[in-house]
Amino acid sequence: MSRRKAEAERTREAILDAAETQFLTQGVSRTTLAHIAAAAGVTRGAIYWHFEDKAAVFDALLERVRVPLDEIVDEAMRRLGHDPIHCLHAIAHDALSAICYNIPFQRAATIVLHRCEKLEDDHPRISMITKLSEYSKARIEQLFEQVQQSGQLRRGLSPASARLQFDSFLIGICFEWLQDPQQFSLADEYESMIETLMRGLLESTL
């Protein structure tokens, strides 16, 4: 890579880092390109060299985040697909662990869930952060079908309903915690939260 190209790439990353900080601090709609330029130590012209407008900065910021949800589902099924209950537990565990410890993912999720005044539901990167893909939904529902076939799914629940409750529970925890991470330690609490979730979905063994 030439020196000029490397410098341009560093400037682009500095702009995205500054945009992330500004979006987290004051929200997407209240952040201007002037705010981002000042935080990055560049001119607005430098931003326009790399990005058409603030929406393009926002898109690029989300684009650089590695969203692990499909990988979490695939890895859990590879290891534990023969044991659907433990597999579901592992998916929930690894998803909440990612929110706790994958800082780029955590910051992007915070921006999308709490710093965007208006979400575009069809925005592909927003959808990847705020909900499971149709692929992962189908795989999780298959796990609940296996649980039902073994007689362990709570009576009255369909696999589709169980998958919806599983998904909604995890998204709700993430939404609540990211609103104010100081209100409780998700890292300390998520194991007991998952136990509560699974007890609600499975037949009691008592």
Side-chain angles (χ1 to χ4, degrees):
M1 182 183 294
S2 69
R3 178 180 298 178
R4 179 175 295 181
K5 188 171 182 180
E7 184 176 332
E9 184 60 27
R10 284 194 295 271
T11 299
R12 185 180 188 275
E13 288 301 305
I15 292 167
L16 291 176
D17 289 342
E20 180 181 73
T21 299
Q22 294 300 304
F23 291 159
L24 282 166
T25 301
Q26 57 190 13
V28 176
S29 70
R30 289 186 291 276
T31 296
T32 66
L33 290 180
H35 292 140
I36 296 170
V42 302
T43 65
R44 288 183 63 185
I47 294 180
Y48 282 120
W49 177 261
H50 292 279
F51 305 102
E52 182 178 354
D53 51 23
K54 186 175 74 174
V57 175
F58 179 78
D59 287 351
L61 182 62
L62 297 187
E63 190 67 35
R64 74 174 181 171
V65 176
R66 177 175 164 271
V67 180
L69 298 178
D70 283 351
E71 293 178 18
I72 286 171
V73 173
D74 280 343
E75 176 60 18
M77 292 195 74
R78 185 189 67 77
R79 292 186 294 111
L80 297 166
H82 61 284
D83 185 343
I85 291 176
H86 283 93
C87 188
L88 288 162
H89 191 287
I91 290 168
H93 174 280
D94 291 351
L96 294 180
S97 179
I99 282 289
C100 286
Y101 301 116
N102 182 333
I103 301 304
F105 181 48
Q106 180 191 119
R107 288 167 71 88
T110 300
I111 290 169
V112 166
L113 292 173
H114 293 294
R115 303 295 188 269
C116 285
E117 289 72 13
K118 182 179 184 299
L119 294 180
E120 299 177 33
D121 291 336
D122 59 350
H123 190 298
R125 297 300 293 183
I126 285 179
S127 294
M128 287 179 69
I129 289 171
T130 60
K131 61 184 70 172
L132 290 174
S133 68
E134 293 303 316
Y135 167 80
S136 287
K137 287 179 183 178
R139 301 206 79 185
I140 290 172
E141 192 164 321
Q142 288 171 5
L143 291 170
F144 279 114
E145 288 171 356
Q146 294 176 45
V147 175
Q148 184 183 54
Q149 289 163 9
S150 68
Q152 294 174 286
L153 189 65
R154 182 174 290 276
R155 280 191 298 272
L157 272 184
S158 67
S161 179
R163 194 276 307 158
L164 177 61
Q165 292 182 39
F166 182 88
D167 185 5
S168 300
F169 188 93
L170 296 178
I171 292 293
I173 290 171
C174 294
F175 185 92
E176 178 68 20
W177 182 67
L178 289 172
Q179 192 167 23
D180 178 12
Q182 302 306 311
Q183 63 184 313
F184 64 91
S185 171
L186 182 56
D188 292 337
E189 298 286 344
Y190 67 69
E191 283 289 358
S192 63
M193 290 175 170
I194 294 168
E195 291 298 330
T196 299
L197 167 64
M198 298 306 293
R199 280 199 303 270
L201 296 172
L202 301 176
E203 273 296 311
S204 173
T205 56
L206 298 180

